[in-house]
Amino acid sequence: MANVTVIGAQWGDEGKGKIVDWLASRADAVVRFQGGHNAGHTLVVGENVYKLSLLPSGIVTGTLSLIGNGVVLDPWHFRDEVAKLKGQGVDVNPQNLQVAENAPLILPFHRDLDALREDASGAGKIGTTRRGIGPAYEDKVGRRSIRVCDLAHLDDLGPQLDRICAHHDALRAGFGQPPIDRERLLGDLWDIAAFVLPFARPVWRTLNEARKAGKRILFEGAQGVLLDVDHGTYPFVTSSNTVSGTAASGSGLGPSQAGFVLGIVKAYTTRVGSGPFPTELEDEVGQKLGERGHEFGTVTGRKRRCGWFDAVLTRQSCAISGVTGIALTKLDVLDDFETVKICVGYRLRGTELDYFPAHAADQSAVEPVYEELEGWKGQTTAGARSWADLPAQAIKYIQRVQELIETPVALVSTSPEREDTILVRDPFID
């Protein structure tokens, strides 16, 4: 049996929550390996709807859930999300939820800095969630982080606070803000430590033991490859590496354990926030996609920008992340269209391109080259659970997608319900 790594192959919001939930019910452990509570997963289980932004999706099914060292953890949000799930009847305890003791913390001054920078950026706004994710990662690589394990050693925090204040107080002064209140910060950390520390574990060790025992491990990514800090639409990206390779460094389990890499791909394209979007439709078609797809961000509530499927971008994402197969989601959103389009290439100042260029100016200037296909208006894919349930034109659309992105379809999702899934290849079978 293989492990499975799940990533978004577009700009996030591809419907990973349902797929991870479906896979988590068959896994022995689920681990988040990057990002923070800027991610958003919506799980629909029967009559219950769960909205997660930090906790691994496996927690809802009672699967052992792990937050890896590659995640930046807001301890107060962690407490509140655990409380919210408990309020919905989900059993959450240190036996089924572990947090890497070497995960860095998001602290109040990170959130302050995130908002101050964004407000001062004018036309250069990135469109962050203002939750302190980027500044927390900056402190991690700047070797200033307070980590989960530090919560057990708060009496010895002085030298780390010196490093933090030497950096942040200067930044805060530049924005006309007072320096960090060290005593208040320490008090806040003492208060939250009692809640967080029972969940703290050497997650790498838990995963290594699971590996040796032959357990199925599901690596759960957040955001999408096009938001990767190296490979995405820089600078309009997130602050972590979202590609599948991060499953190793962000969890403490070696790269050979990533297993089947499942790329989640929406049957059209959406994006939240600023940045280039070649196939964006600012017309009634884009409006229709948004309305049929209920396109609002799980975390932010922001309306998503919508457009036709971009095979160039998705092919690039699959290549960069070594995707074994894709899960095609929200096919039913296209049910009411006479024709559908797929972007198969770009024109950039008279030159044909079959890839997405790296420079922001070029990314904004590319023009999509479309291929038009017959739709299946009047027929429905919603709730289909086998190929026989799909209209012929919908099958042709799926086949054309996998040809263009040079990656096979492993499964098709036809509604938010877990059971409404067409399985082509089981990712857990090696």
Side-chain angles (χ1 to χ4, degrees), residues 63-98:
T63 307
L64 175 62
S65 297
L66 311 165
I67 295 177
N69 59 277
V71 173
V72 284
L73 183 99
D74 183 319
W76 297 277
H77 179 89
F78 174 73
R79 177 198 61 195
D80 294 346
E81 194 167 316
V82 167
K84 182 179 178 182
L85 278 184
K86 285 184 174 182
Q88 290 185 274
V90 178
D91 183 25
V92 184
N93 58 70
Q95 282 67 54
N96 63 15
L97 177 62
Q98 297 182 16

Side-chain angles (χ1 to χ4, degrees), residues 283-293 333 336-337 377:
D283 57 13
E284 67 277 4
V285 176
Q287 180 78 14
K288 183 176 178 180
L289 286 170
E291 290 173 355
R292 288 184 56 82
V333 173
D336 198 35
F337 288 87
K377 186 177 176 66

Side-chain angles (χ1 to χ4, degrees), residues 55 86-87 106 114 120 135 147 151 160 184 194 249 259 344 352 404:
L55 301 187
K86 285 184 174 182
I106 299 174
D114 206 358
R147 303 188 297 171
L151 294 175
Q160 284 166 272
R184 180 178 178 181
S249 60
V344 296
E352 300 282 335
L404 289 167

Side-chain angles (χ1 to χ4, degrees), residues 18-34:
K18 174 220 170 141
I19 304 300
V20 172
D21 171 55
W22 180 76
L23 290 168
S25 64
R26 303 166 61 233
D28 299 300
V30 182
V31 56
R32 271 280 308 273
F33 57 84
Q34 51 75 220

Side-chain angles (χ1 to χ4, degrees), residues 120-406:
S121 292
K125 279 185 170 61
I126 300 295
T128 80
T129 56
R130 298 169 179 259
R131 297 192 168 202
I133 310 295
Y137 273 118
E138 290 175 42
D139 277 359
K140 175 182 177 177
V141 299
R143 295 164 293 183
R144 295 180 293 271
S145 284
I146 295 173
R147 303 188 297 171
V148 170
C149 56
D150 292 316
L151 294 175
H153 300 272
L154 292 175
D155 283 329
D156 304 317
L157 206 60
Q160 284 166 272
L161 287 177
D162 289 342
R163 287 196 296 274
I164 287 169
C165 291
H167 178 77
H168 281 275
D169 285 353
L171 292 174
R172 293 172 67 89
F175 286 107
Q177 299 297 308
I180 291 171
D181 186 334
R182 290 173 62 139
E183 293 306 312
R184 180 178 178 181
L185 176 62
L186 269 173
D188 290 342
L189 291 173
W190 276 109
D191 287 343
I192 199 64
F195 182 85
V196 175
L197 285 174
F199 296 94
R201 295 287 191 282
V203 161
W204 68 267
R205 191 168 182 268
T206 302
L207 287 169
N208 194 49
E209 290 171 351
R211 177 192 63 80
K212 289 190 288 186
K215 302 289 189 180
R216 289 175 166 178
I217 300 170
L218 178 62
F219 298 92
E220 178 182 2
Q223 289 92 31
V225 174
L226 297 175
L227 293 173
D228 184 277
V229 70
D230 287 311
H231 300 288
T233 49
Y234 193 90
F236 301 99
V237 292
T238 194
S239 299
S240 61
N241 286 111
T242 60
V243 294
S244 60
T246 313
S249 60
S251 69
L253 203 57
S256 63
Q257 300 303 313
F260 190 107
V261 179
L262 183 67
I264 314 301
V265 175
K266 196 176 286 185
Y268 49 104
T269 309
T270 62
R271 175 164 202 171
V272 171
S274 306
F277 184 171
T279 65
E280 182 173 12
L281 297 169
E282 299 180 274
D283 57 13
E284 67 277 4
V285 176
Q287 180 78 14
K288 183 176 178 180
L289 286 170
E291 290 173 355
R292 288 184 56 82
H294 307 290
E295 295 297 350
F296 295 91
T298 300
V299 169
T300 63
R302 288 182 293 182
K303 183 179 179 181
R304 297 179 186 133
R305 302 153 64 191
C306 298
W308 294 119
F309 183 78
D310 192 327
V312 183
L313 281 174
T314 308
R315 181 173 63 240
Q316 193 161 319
S317 292
C318 289
I320 288 166
S321 256
V323 173
T324 314
I326 68 163
L328 191 68
T329 67
K330 304 190 84 164
L331 182 66
D332 55 301
V333 173
L334 301 180
D335 283 356
D336 198 35
F337 288 87
E338 294 279 1
T339 61
V340 290
K341 293 181 180 180
I342 299 176
C343 174
V344 296
Y346 303 127
R347 291 190 187 92
L348 176 61
R349 304 182 190 96
T351 301
E352 300 282 335
L353 293 181
D354 62 356
Y355 69 95
F356 200 50
H359 195 275
D362 292 338
Q363 292 178 348
S364 297
V366 295
E367 299 175 9
V369 176
Y370 286 117
E371 181 178 299
E372 190 166 332
L373 289 77
E374 183 182 347
W376 49 95
K377 186 177 176 66
Q379 303 175 78
T380 184
T381 64
R385 299 183 182 181
S386 71
W387 288 115
D389 296 333
L390 292 178
Q393 293 304 324
I395 294 174
K396 288 182 180 179
Y397 182 80
I398 295 168
Q399 291 173 334
R400 187 58 179 146
V401 163
Q402 66 180 356
E403 287 171 6
L404 289 167
I405 67 173
E406 299 173 0

